[in-house]
Amino acid sequence: MSRLFLLLIFLISTSTASSQLNENFQLIPTPQHIECRNEGSYKWSDVSFIEGGSIPVLGRLLNDLPRRPVRNKKGVILTLSDDKIHDSDEGYVLSIDKDRISIKSSSEKGLFYGCATLEQLMQDSKLHDLNLPEMTITDYPSVAYRAIHIDNKHHLDRMEYYYSMIDRLSSYKINAIIWELEDKLRYVRRPEIAASNAISKQEMQAISRYAIDRNIEISPLVQGLGHAGFILKHHPELRENPDSDWEFCPSDARTYELQFDLYKDAMEALPHGKYLHVGGDEITAIGIDERCKQTGKTAFELQMIWLGKVCDFAIRHDRTPIFWDDMPLKYAGVWDLIRRDLTPDELLQQWNVSKLDEAIDFFPKDCIYMRWNYQDPTKPAHLKILEWYKNKGLQVMAATAAADGGCPFMPRDDSRALNIKNFSSLVAQNKLTGILATAWDDGSPHLETVMRGFIAQAEYGWNPQDKNIDSFKKAHAQREYGFMNGEMCFLDTLEKQAFLFDDLLISSGRRNPSWQVRDYTLIELPDKSNPGEWSKKYQTKINAAERMRQNFIYMENEINDALATARNNRYTIRVYQQNNRLFYYPAQLLLALHKYDTASTPNERAAALLKVRQTCDSFNEMRKDLENVYSETRFMTQPEDYLEDLNHHKHLSALSLNSDWLYLYELPFTQQTDAWISQPRSEEHTSELQSLRRIS
């Protein structure tokens, strides 16, 4: 083999190796193009100043730097240029050279994002004691509008928490929030709608200003036509169905007077958003009221007439309307198809959009149709409906889910990251208007447990291709907590624990489906006169409880280690810790009851009964600890004068004004167990109770 050929191989291998960023630098979102030249010769602490004609809001490390050059020191030079990067005003070029760092962009937005990337590189240089690599990053978003969803349906967070969320989200290049205000805005034109703990318009304006300075625009979502319980509980005269506060009557002029007043207040409260989300989904009863019957219109026509009117209002007020798109798809008979796994032949036989084609004139052309799909968006029928929208020239925005309504306490399935990644890819490929990661408050999880899903949207909305889910989870652990060695792996187990927890104490029912809390039946307590029978009957649940015990021990140790080693965001880990302890409580109680049920001597039964009593007694302490942690960022109760909705969803988190809903099964089962402990069934059990009292 010739020396020239060997040299060529060496140069190729050297070039390939140097073009890769050291794995200890974990950037979120992943830049589009990275060219590394060498490992560099200086660290984060050697960066001594930042200067430029336009300096955006900065992260902590960059913000600590002086704003003018320091002689013989390395600094950051910010430059506005006329050239857009990949035709995006959010694009930037970041160059780290041996003598300086430069960031160039055509806009302040791009400079902001270039500085955000540099901030992450400096944080990792500090964390790992590494030199900043000599490199050039050429970066721009794959999706222009990258939004997350705040839903105030059932709870309100503290104001300072919203500000801190904006800081975190903007550092990951999220650039929009769609804020579902419900009754948590203090409406001026219709004050009866606002809850007594609602946020003032002035405070919302301040949050909006804070966000826009960090390149996040906030647009309001005020539910219209359907999902209107927060409004129609005060205005029964405008209901389509007198017995339900779910839908407005679209044929009453007062409907529009009321909705438009709420829209005006919401837009004034959030003046920097370009959209007005009008809702319009999941309608169940339109056309049944006499006012609607007199029009002679079908339910579909009435819905689209309503949509036309609210869209006209939005356009007149310089907002682009957004509308959930499920009702037209249900009308056309394709809604169920896009959610099913169909073979190509089945799809070919069943796919028919003729009703949509015929109704196209009803679709306002200046509206954005939000194509929501919280599951796998790559199913063939879903791809076909995206194609139909494109062929008709309609504007479409995607809506995936960082947290769906059916999972209380925390999202599952890797924070739904794969669905977010796949839908973001479709948005980029089809050049849709943008994407929203919803976070419905139906199950009202703590927003810290939703944050990983929001950050997944930041990653994949910017660059859907370059990180698989495991790589994202690793990067997330380093970025959010400073972890490098899998310290957040407990979260995978905690998601599994949540599924076991959901139905451990019931023999029928379900804790919190997306639509409503159905009737449920708690499992029985042991029959003291027939030892062992209860354990035979519930052996499957006892086995699950034992797995939960083992999971709990593992996670408690891992969480304690994580709290000791985390560099940032320990509060999030504490939220997970409290969820872990709540999830374990019913398993702990079942195992104590199992030990009593299978005890073979009076003394063993007395000791086991004491353990049952102690476990029941621990419930209040566990609840107190959880709520103390949760309440650091969120309010745990509704105001005493709060008027509950009548709507048919009957969300778990709307079943009480206090926090009892968190313990839907645990609270009554503990109360029943407390009463059971004191119920004598025989002389022998009376002796056990006497022994229990002596031991206690």
Side-chain angles (χ1 to χ4, degrees):
M1 191 176 294
S2 71
R3 291 184 179 181
L4 181 60
F5 185 70
L6 289 172
L7 178 61
L8 181 60
I9 292 176
F10 172 78
L11 290 173
I12 292 173
S13 63
T14 303
S15 174
T16 302
S18 66
S19 68
Q20 300 298 314
L21 187 62
N22 185 306
E23 66 176 6
N24 289 314
F25 290 97
Q26 294 285 345
L27 300 178
I28 295 179
T30 306
Q32 301 285 355
H33 301 287
I34 301 176
E35 179 192 350
C36 290
R37 294 184 286 278
N38 61 56
E39 293 183 356
S41 58
Y42 57 94
K43 296 181 172 61
W44 68 277
S45 54
D46 296 315
V47 181
S48 300
F49 66 89
I50 184 168
E51 68 165 341
S54 179
I55 297 179
V57 174
L58 300 171
R60 185 176 60 83
L61 295 180
L62 287 172
N63 196 50
D64 285 345
L65 300 177
R67 302 300 201 268
R68 62 184 180 185
V70 178
R71 180 175 295 181
N72 298 323
K73 296 290 185 179
K74 299 173 181 64
V76 183
I77 312 300
L78 306 181
T79 305
L80 285 172
S81 69
D82 294 331
D83 299 324
K84 287 187 176 182
I85 309 300
H86 203 74
D87 200 33
S88 170
D89 63 356
E90 294 181 318
Y92 64 91
V93 176
L94 164 63
S95 295
I96 302 179
D97 300 307
K98 60 183 179 180
D99 56 351
R100 70 170 191 170
I101 299 171
S102 67
I103 300 174
K104 296 180 180 179
S105 177
S106 64
S107 74
E108 293 184 7
K109 295 177 182 179
L111 294 181
F112 177 83
Y113 288 145
C115 288
T117 299
L118 177 59
E119 180 81 14
Q120 291 187 12
L121 290 166
M122 292 174 67
Q123 289 170 357
D124 288 346
S125 169
K126 179 180 179 181
L127 178 66
H128 297 285
D129 194 29
L130 290 171
N131 290 339
L132 291 167
E134 290 185 21
M135 64 191 303
T136 298
I137 291 176
T138 304
D139 203 11
Y140 50 85
S142 294
V143 178
Y145 186 81
R146 307 171 302 281
I148 65 94
H149 175 223
I150 295 177
D151 180 8
N152 283 139
K153 188 184 290 93
H154 299 311
H155 87 277
L156 187 64
D157 293 290
R158 299 178 186 277
M159 291 301 101
E160 61 270 22
Y161 183 61
Y162 294 127
Y163 284 96
S164 70
M165 276 185 63
I166 289 167
D167 285 334
R168 285 165 78 183
L169 294 169
S170 65
S171 74
Y172 293 117
K173 304 182 176 67
I174 286 291
N175 67 356
I177 295 172
I178 291 181
W179 199 315
E180 186 159 350
L181 297 163
E182 291 275 331
D183 53 9
K184 302 306 187 295
L185 175 66
R186 200 174 305 159
Y187 299 98
V188 174
R189 293 174 175 86
R190 301 286 181 149
E192 73 278 9
I193 305 302
S196 57
N197 63 338
I199 308 170
S200 72
K201 288 173 67 174
Q202 290 80 5
E203 184 61 69
M204 289 302 299
Q205 289 164 358
I207 292 174
S208 181
R209 169 64 185 272
Y210 188 85
I212 204 68
D213 286 344
R214 288 150 182 81
N215 199 33
I216 290 180
E217 65 170 63
I218 306 178
S219 296
L221 193 165
V222 180
Q223 290 283 11
L225 200 53
H227 283 274
F230 74 102
I231 305 169
L232 295 180
K233 63 186 176 183
H234 302 287
H235 287 278
E237 74 280 4
L238 296 180
R239 297 176 185 175
E240 180 74 3
N241 178 355
D243 298 323
S244 170
D245 58 12
W246 190 255
E247 290 106 348
F248 276 99
C249 172
S251 300
D252 192 315
R254 295 173 298 174
T255 287
Y256 302 96
E257 294 171 4
L258 174 52
Q259 289 194 335
F260 293 170
D261 280 347
L262 300 182
Y263 291 162
K264 289 174 185 175
D265 278 344
M267 291 186 297
E268 290 166 2
L270 297 171
H272 298 103
K274 62 174 170 280
Y275 295 118
L276 172 63
H277 201 311
V278 299
D281 63 322
E282 296 183 328
I283 307 302
T284 60
I286 290 295
I288 66 172
D289 182 84
E290 194 60 35
R291 289 166 291 187
C292 286
K293 290 179 180 178
Q294 290 176 2
T295 67
K297 304 292 185 182
T298 66
F300 173 74
E301 289 173 330
L302 289 167
Q303 164 126 9
M304 300 306 279
I305 289 169
W306 168 86
L307 179 60
K309 290 181 178 180
V310 296
C311 285
D312 288 344
F313 170 87
I315 297 300
R316 289 198 306 271
H317 290 81
D318 298 321
R319 297 287 178 119
T320 300
I322 300 176
F323 165 69
W324 302 117
D325 75 340
D326 56 305
M327 294 309 296
L329 303 186
K330 290 172 183 174
Y331 159 77
V334 298
W335 174 253
D336 289 334
L337 296 180
I338 65 177
R339 298 156 66 89
R340 289 166 52 194
D341 292 313
L342 299 173
T343 66
D345 287 342
E346 290 172 334
L347 182 58
L348 185 62
Q349 293 171 6
Q350 299 179 46
W351 188 255
N352 185 345
V353 291
S354 59
K355 292 183 73 173
L356 280 180
D357 290 338
E358 293 167 4
I360 191 63
D361 290 340
F362 282 105
F363 286 72
K365 301 304 185 291
D366 47 13
C367 178
I368 291 178
Y369 295 86
M370 185 159 267
R371 173 76 297 277
W372 61 277
N373 186 335
Y374 304 152
Q375 306 302 324
D376 178 8
T378 65
K379 292 179 179 179
H382 187 245
L383 300 181
K384 286 186 73 66
I385 200 63
L386 292 178
E387 183 182 3
W388 180 87
Y389 275 120
K390 182 178 181 180
N391 292 338
K392 297 302 181 183
L394 297 175
Q395 301 178 77
V396 177
M397 185 181 293
T400 182
D404 69 359
C407 294
F409 303 107
M410 58 184 295
R412 322 287 168 88
D413 303 322
D414 295 328
S415 304
R416 309 180 69 83
L418 182 58
N419 292 338
I420 292 170
K421 174 180 170 65
N422 287 339
F423 216 162
S424 294
S425 294
L426 290 175
V427 171
Q429 292 164 15
N430 291 279
K431 295 181 171 54
L432 304 186
T433 305
I435 189 166
L436 168 70
T438 60
W440 296 105
D441 202 33
D442 303 9
S444 207
H446 195 292
L447 282 178
E448 283 303 293
T449 70
V450 181
M451 187 59 68
R452 188 168 72 164
F454 286 162
I455 296 171
Q457 183 59 79
E459 169 67 35
Y460 296 119
W462 187 272
N463 184 346
Q465 305 303 326
D466 283 357
K467 269 197 180 81
N468 62 31
I469 303 306
D470 287 339
S471 297
F472 164 71
K473 288 159 64 176
K474 178 182 177 182
H476 168 267
Q478 179 164 316
R479 285 266 60 83
E480 281 287 278
Y481 310 105
F483 293 150
M484 299 168 282
N485 300 308
E487 291 93 336
M488 285 302 290
C489 288
F490 72 81
L491 192 49
D492 294 338
T493 306
L494 189 61
E495 287 186 354
K496 296 181 179 71
Q497 193 88 323
F499 283 111
L500 294 171
F501 164 80
D502 281 346
D503 62 358
L504 193 65
L505 294 181
I506 57 171
S507 57
S508 67
R510 186 179 173 193
R511 184 178 294 268
N512 187 34
S514 298
W515 279 88
Q516 62 182 326
V517 177
R518 298 184 177 90
D519 293 335
Y520 63 86
T521 304
L522 294 172
I523 63 172
E524 301 166 359
L525 288 159
D527 183 348
K528 296 168 182 173
S529 302
N530 292 289
E533 292 301 312
W534 180 87
S535 295
K536 291 178 183 177
K537 181 174 182 178
Y538 293 114
Q539 188 61 55
T540 300
K541 288 188 178 293
I542 293 167
N543 293 341
E546 177 56 31
R547 292 198 303 276
M548 293 178 72
R549 185 188 70 83
Q550 296 171 12
N551 289 343
F552 170 78
I553 293 171
Y554 158 74
M555 286 187 291
E556 192 72 1
N557 290 332
E558 292 295 306
I559 290 171
N560 284 329
D561 286 345
L563 285 169
T565 57
R567 308 278 185 119
N568 308 298
N569 297 327
R570 292 183 187 87
Y571 177 68
T572 310
I573 302 172
R574 289 170 55 218
V575 171
Y576 286 132
Q577 182 180 56
Q578 294 306 318
N579 284 358
N580 184 39
R581 292 173 180 176
L582 170 60
F583 294 167
Y584 177 51
Y585 172 77
Q588 189 180 14
L589 187 51
L590 254 62
L591 292 174
L593 289 167
H594 168 59
K595 192 165 186 178
Y596 169 82
D597 188 54
T598 56
S600 57
T601 68
N603 284 341
E604 287 179 359
R605 282 194 291 273
L609 199 62
L610 175 61
K611 182 62 176 176
V612 174
R613 166 63 59 79
Q614 291 171 337
T615 304
C616 287
D617 290 345
S618 72
F619 172 81
N620 287 333
E621 190 66 25
M622 178 273 298
R623 175 176 180 169
K624 178 182 176 184
D625 290 344
L626 182 145
E627 294 182 22
N628 279 341
V629 172
Y630 270 40
S631 64
E632 289 182 33
T633 62
R634 74 185 285 172
F635 296 101
M636 298 301 295
T637 61
Q638 296 281 21
E640 291 183 3
D641 62 350
Y642 192 77
L643 181 63
E644 297 180 20
D645 299 1
L646 303 174
N647 75 63
H648 59 277
H649 274 194
K650 298 180 181 176
H651 294 144
L652 177 61
S653 45
L655 294 183
S656 62
L657 298 183
N658 61 14
S659 57
D660 284 352
W661 66 270
L662 286 164
Y663 322 99
L664 180 68
Y665 308 146
E666 292 70 34
L667 192 58
F669 193 79
T670 299
Q671 293 168 344
Q672 291 182 24
T673 305
D674 271 331
W676 170 88
I677 290 172
S678 302
Q679 291 174 354
R681 295 291 180 89
S682 64
E683 291 183 6
E684 183 180 22
H685 181 66
T686 301
S687 175
E688 291 172 14
L689 287 174
Q690 291 171 347
S691 298
L692 172 62
R693 294 187 185 102
R694 286 196 300 272
I695 295 171
S696 299

